[in-house]
Amino acid sequence: MLYREAGQFRTSYEADQQIFPIRQDRIAFALLMAVAVVGVPLFASDYWLTAILIPFLVFALASLGLNILTGYAGQLSLGTAAFMAVGAFAAYNFQLRVPGIPILVSFLLGGASAALVGVAFGLPSLRIKGFYLAVATLAAQFFVPWLLVKVGWFSNYSASGVITAQKIEILGFVFDSPVRRYLLVLAIVALLALAAKNLVRSRIGRAWMAVRDMDVAAEVIGIRIMRTKLIAFAVSSFYCGVAGALYAFAYLGSVEPDAFNLDLSFRILFMVIIGGVGSILGSFLGAAFITLLPILLEVLLHGGAGLLGLNLSPGTPSMMQLVVFGGLIIFFLIVEPHGLARLWQIAKEKLRLWPFPY
């Protein structure tokens, strides 16, 4: 009974098309943001901020970029981690070689560099699609880390290829603590998520969905297929590039090309599948699920082993993660292809009718 829109009248197109047209959604979102901005910095420990919440936000941004390309535009990609690597190394080099450049500008230029690389590897999408396009983008996953290792200029000729990210300083304010880095990442991710939400509701987003559903019909009604696909690759790679820069500067502090491997690309793909393909909310739900699941599994395994008096080998939790991830992907593909976002939508629809039968 708390989730009813009865009596909430919308008298204009602007009110009807707003992101949260129902009052309860606006209140819930405001409370969620208040908890994220005020409650989390006050009560969360440094471990939770550094090891859980910051990577959750970074991976949510990366999965959001992949979701724009795969979920909304229908173009498969397995090179997400490669585009993140481009963003991280580009931001590092802009900070290193352009004196006085603001760090936020470096992040944006890192995203722009990833967008250019994404457009280059997205050109095969004009002729191929489906599995063949996924294989074509997989080339980026092997080529970009190899290039970053072989060309020493990208890592400032580091012998190991590892780069140490510069300190994050904005208007003389240094983000040198977990709380400050968390708030910075939260602000960037929130702004980009809002931009993505409005973008997929715009003319460009509708063109992406038309190409995804049936590209031939989209071309018949006047949508320019080439431009639409390349814009999708550019926007998706931009988001992944910014996520890569945050991954290096706000999370790890130092990074090497091998950190952006194929396993990371598959991990982000799992977030999209489990969270919900073609959903902004699903990107965050999937990132939260994949980030928190290893911790939950480790607690349950060690707790159960302690009760039974068993000794677990060090690799058992990692192997169980792979088994659970694979099982969940199969489950969602069969039972609910739209992931956790669809389950959340069904729950809200049931709340609107509760306690009446449906």
Side-chain angles (χ1 to χ4, degrees), residues 13-97:
Y13 288 111
E14 290 78 9
D16 189 59
Q17 293 297 319
Q18 58 185 328
I19 296 178
F20 299 109
I22 301 177
R23 184 187 303 117
Q24 290 89 332
D25 287 340
R26 295 195 293 271
I27 295 174
F29 181 75
L31 291 176
L32 178 63
M33 292 304 298
V35 170
V37 175
V38 179
V40 170
L42 288 177
F43 299 104
S45 63
D46 288 348
Y47 169 77
W48 268 86
L49 291 171
T50 304
I52 298 175
L53 294 178
I54 291 179
F56 153 67
L57 292 172
V58 172
F59 290 141
L61 184 60
S63 63
L64 178 57
L66 180 60
N67 218 336
I68 288 175
L69 182 64
T70 302
Y72 287 98
Q75 308 300 305
L76 297 179
S77 174
L78 295 177
T80 307
F83 303 135
M84 292 178 65
V86 172
F89 278 79
Y92 166 78
N93 279 281
F94 279 117
Q95 280 289 299
L96 179 67
R97 306 181 192 284

Side-chain angles (χ1 to χ4, degrees), residues 6 38 59 62 65 88 138 157 163 172 213 260 264:
V38 179
F59 290 141
L138 186 62
Y157 300 100
I163 61 172
D213 295 337
F260 302 97
L264 181 59

Side-chain angles (χ1 to χ4, degrees), residues 270 297 317-327:
F270 296 161
L297 285 177
S318 299
M319 294 302 297
M320 287 301 300
Q321 290 178 27
L322 297 177
V323 173
V324 173
F325 286 164

Side-chain angles (χ1 to χ4, degrees), residues 217-335:
E219 189 173 12
V220 169
I221 64 176
I223 295 176
R224 299 172 62 180
I225 302 296
M226 180 182 71
R227 186 181 69 175
T228 302
K229 289 183 177 181
L230 292 183
I231 289 176
F233 270 96
V235 174
S236 171
S237 301
F238 174 82
Y239 274 71
C240 294
V242 175
L246 294 176
Y247 187 72
F249 281 77
Y251 175 41
L252 294 179
S254 61
V255 68
E256 58 181 345
D258 289 340
F260 302 97
N261 52 21
L262 185 59
D263 290 340
L264 181 59
S265 291
F266 278 118
R267 187 178 181 186
I268 297 172
L269 180 61
F270 296 161
M271 295 177 188
V272 173
I273 294 174
I274 294 176
V277 179
S279 170
I280 302 295
L281 176 62
S283 301
F284 289 88
L285 294 178
F289 191 87
I290 297 298
T291 304
L292 295 176
L293 182 61
I295 301 174
L296 178 62
L297 285 177
E298 187 170 357
V299 172
L300 292 178
L301 287 175
H302 285 287
L307 292 176
L308 298 175
L310 301 176
N311 292 324
L312 293 178
S313 61
T316 300
S318 299
M319 294 302 297
M320 287 301 300
Q321 290 178 27
L322 297 177
V323 173
V324 173
F325 286 164
L328 287 174
I329 290 172
I330 295 173
F331 171 80
F332 279 107
L333 288 177
I334 296 175
V335 178

Side-chain angles (χ1 to χ4, degrees), residues 49 53-61 104 107 168 170 175 177-193 242-243 245-251 284:
L49 291 171
L53 294 178
I54 291 179
F56 153 67
L57 292 172
V58 172
F59 290 141
L61 184 60
L104 293 179
F107 290 167
I168 304 177
I170 301 175
F175 291 81
S177 67
V179 173
R180 294 177 179 179
R181 291 197 300 270
Y182 162 77
L183 291 175
L184 175 64
V185 175
L186 176 64
I188 294 175
V189 172
L191 289 176
L192 290 178
V242 175
L246 294 176
Y247 187 72
F249 281 77
Y251 175 41
F284 289 88

